[in-house]
């Protein structure tokens, strides 16, 4: 059986004629010519293989097939209008799913506040991934990718800076109670180090500020981890000292699970950026989540 392809403008013309009983009035309502409406109905009848109207000099009436088709056509057009109105509303109000990819170490910074996001935007559904690899926002379908440090040179992305960071050394109170005091950077070589391996495969050295100068320290690690949250967890349970972003560590400091070590040697950390696939206009749902992230990091 040959497939009956139909054109929505042709269906709209048919419905217009059926509702007004006139090719002329239908053409006026559709802002086109009577000839165009007539051709549209003829194309539709040809595709369907049946007559939809009985035409006389005085009236245009639906055939039995036309009455059957009108019910389905009206339902289809009503559904399309409803969908168009829903999409228009989504442009103005935060409605729908937002796919967000953040570094794993940011988990404690964001997860406890998701209820606040839900309260602000109850019609937004969040799909959250936490990973330290450099995700492909376009190829993987992410609406927002949050990353600290170097950014990909990608013309398909819009970049928004969310905040600056500082790098600080941290340890658990238990670890510090069990080990020798740390009074100068030289003391660090006598302590256990929890080291992060970045997505490039390289171990990340500690960056320290001494006498106004930055220097890198690569202490012998007691454990190497490639997951930012695992670095935090290992530090919290007392495996050693780690260097973390200040904003990421702050929730653990606030509850007494981490303590800053040698705060005088803090160094500037990398900025945190949001990567958003390019589009003609950012949807309201994405903008709402992006602004919420900026507020949290600020």
């Amino acid at each position: 059986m040959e497939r009956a392809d139909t054109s929505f403008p042709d269906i709209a013309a048919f419905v217009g004629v059926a509702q007004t009983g006139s090719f002329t009035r239908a053409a006026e309502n559709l802002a086109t010519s009577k000839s165009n409406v007539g051709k549209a109905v003829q194309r539709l009848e040809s595709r369907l293989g049946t007559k939809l109207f009985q035409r006389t000099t005085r009236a245009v009436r639906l055939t039995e097939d036309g009455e059957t088709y009108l019910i389905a056509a009206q339902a289809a057009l009503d559904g399309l209008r409803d969908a168009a109105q829903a999409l228009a509303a989504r442009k103005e109000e935060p409605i729908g799913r937002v796919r967000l990819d953040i570094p794993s170490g940011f988990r404690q910074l964001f997860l406890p506040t998701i209820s606040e996001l839900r309260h602000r935007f109850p019609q937004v559904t969040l799909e959250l991934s936490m990973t330290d690899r450099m995700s492909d926002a376009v190829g993987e379908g992410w609406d927002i990718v949050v990353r600290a440090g170097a950014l990909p040179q990608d013309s398909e992305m819009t970049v928004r800076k969310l905040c600056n960071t500082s790098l600080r050394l941290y340890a658990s109170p238990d670890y510090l109670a069990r080990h020798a005091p740390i009074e100068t950077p030289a003391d660090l070589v006598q302590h256990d180090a929890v080291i992060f391996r970045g997505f490039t495969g390289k171990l990340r050295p500690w960056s320290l500020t001494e006498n106004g100068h930055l220097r890198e320290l690569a202490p012998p690690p007691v454990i190497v981890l490639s997951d930012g949250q695992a670095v935090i967890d290992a530090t919290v349970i007392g495996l050693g000292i780690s260097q973390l972003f200040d904003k990421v560590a702050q929730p653990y400091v606030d509850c007494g699970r981490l303590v800053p070590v040698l705060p005088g040697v803090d160094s500037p950390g990398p900025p945190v950026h949001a990567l958003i696939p390019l589009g003609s206009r950012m949807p309201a749902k994405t903008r709402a989540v992006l602004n919420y992230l900026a507020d949290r990091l600020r």
Side-chain angles (χ1 to χ4, degrees):
M1 181 178 178
E2 185 177 341
R3 185 164 60 95
D5 292 323
T6 55
S7 164
F8 286 113
D10 291 353
I11 295 173
F14 160 72
V15 172
V17 175
Q19 290 176 334
T20 61
S22 166
F23 281 80
T24 300
R25 287 196 294 273
E28 292 172 353
N29 293 339
L30 295 170
T32 187
S33 67
K34 178 181 177 181
S35 174
N36 285 339
V37 172
K39 291 176 182 178
V41 171
Q42 288 175 2
R43 286 193 297 267
L44 188 58
E45 290 177 328
S46 176
R47 292 190 185 104
L48 296 175
T50 188
K51 281 289 186 182
L52 299 175
F53 292 107
Q54 291 290 350
R55 304 169 178 83
T56 68
T57 56
R58 293 185 177 182
V60 177
R61 294 187 176 87
L62 286 167
T63 64
E64 184 178 356
D65 286 346
E67 291 175 352
T68 300
Y69 193 72
L70 177 63
I71 295 172
Q74 285 179 317
L77 291 177
D78 288 344
L80 287 172
R81 277 192 290 269
D82 290 344
Q85 290 173 358
L87 290 175
R90 288 163 72 109
K91 291 181 180 179
E92 303 303 326
E93 298 180 27
I95 301 173
R97 183 186 67 172
V98 177
R99 303 187 72 231
L100 171 65
D101 186 36
I102 65 174
S104 64
F106 285 46
R107 179 179 305 167
Q108 194 63 21
L109 193 62
F110 290 122
L111 275 184
T113 67
I114 293 300
S115 59
E116 179 186 342
L117 177 66
R118 290 285 301 149
H119 178 72
R120 287 194 203 177
F121 312 110
Q123 297 188 78
V124 171
T125 300
L126 197 64
E127 181 176 336
L128 185 62
S129 170
M130 289 167 281
T131 177
D132 291 308
R133 65 182 178 84
M134 184 54 72
S135 303
D136 178 0
V138 176
E140 297 175 28
W142 297 107
D143 296 302
I144 305 172
V145 172
V146 177
R147 285 295 177 266
L151 299 175
Q153 301 299 315
D154 192 340
S155 61
E156 295 183 315
M157 305 300 297
T158 295
V159 177
R160 174 173 170 180
K161 183 178 177 180
L162 298 178
C163 70
N164 291 315
T165 64
S166 292
L167 290 169
R168 178 174 291 184
L169 299 171
Y170 295 90
S172 71
D174 174 67
Y175 175 88
L176 294 175
R178 292 185 288 107
H179 292 79
I182 307 170
E183 298 177 350
T184 69
D187 296 331
L188 292 171
V189 296
Q190 305 299 323
H191 284 263
D192 298 331
V194 179
I195 299 298
F196 177 70
R197 187 187 297 276
F199 70 91
T200 62
K202 296 181 179 180
L203 298 184
R204 183 176 294 170
W206 292 349
S207 176
L208 309 178
T209 301
E210 292 186 77
N211 300 319
H213 299 286
L214 286 175
R215 76 177 182 95
E216 290 188 347
L217 176 66
V222 66
I223 186 171
V224 175
L225 298 162
S226 58
D227 180 278
Q229 184 60 43
V231 171
I232 297 172
D233 294 341
T235 310
V236 166
I237 64 174
L239 287 184
I241 301 170
S242 66
Q243 188 168 58
L244 307 171
F245 297 139
D246 56 339
K247 294 182 182 296
V248 168
Q250 193 59 47
Y252 299 89
V253 174
D254 291 342
C255 66
R257 302 177 73 187
L258 288 179
V259 177
V261 174
L262 294 177
V265 300
D266 293 356
S267 65
V272 178
H273 293 93
L275 310 178
I276 307 102
L278 283 177
S280 57
R281 181 182 179 190
M282 188 184 301
K285 59 179 182 177
T286 304
R287 185 175 302 281
V289 174
L290 181 61
N291 289 338
Y292 167 79
L293 293 175
D295 288 344
R296 286 294 304 154
L297 286 168
R298 194 176 300 124

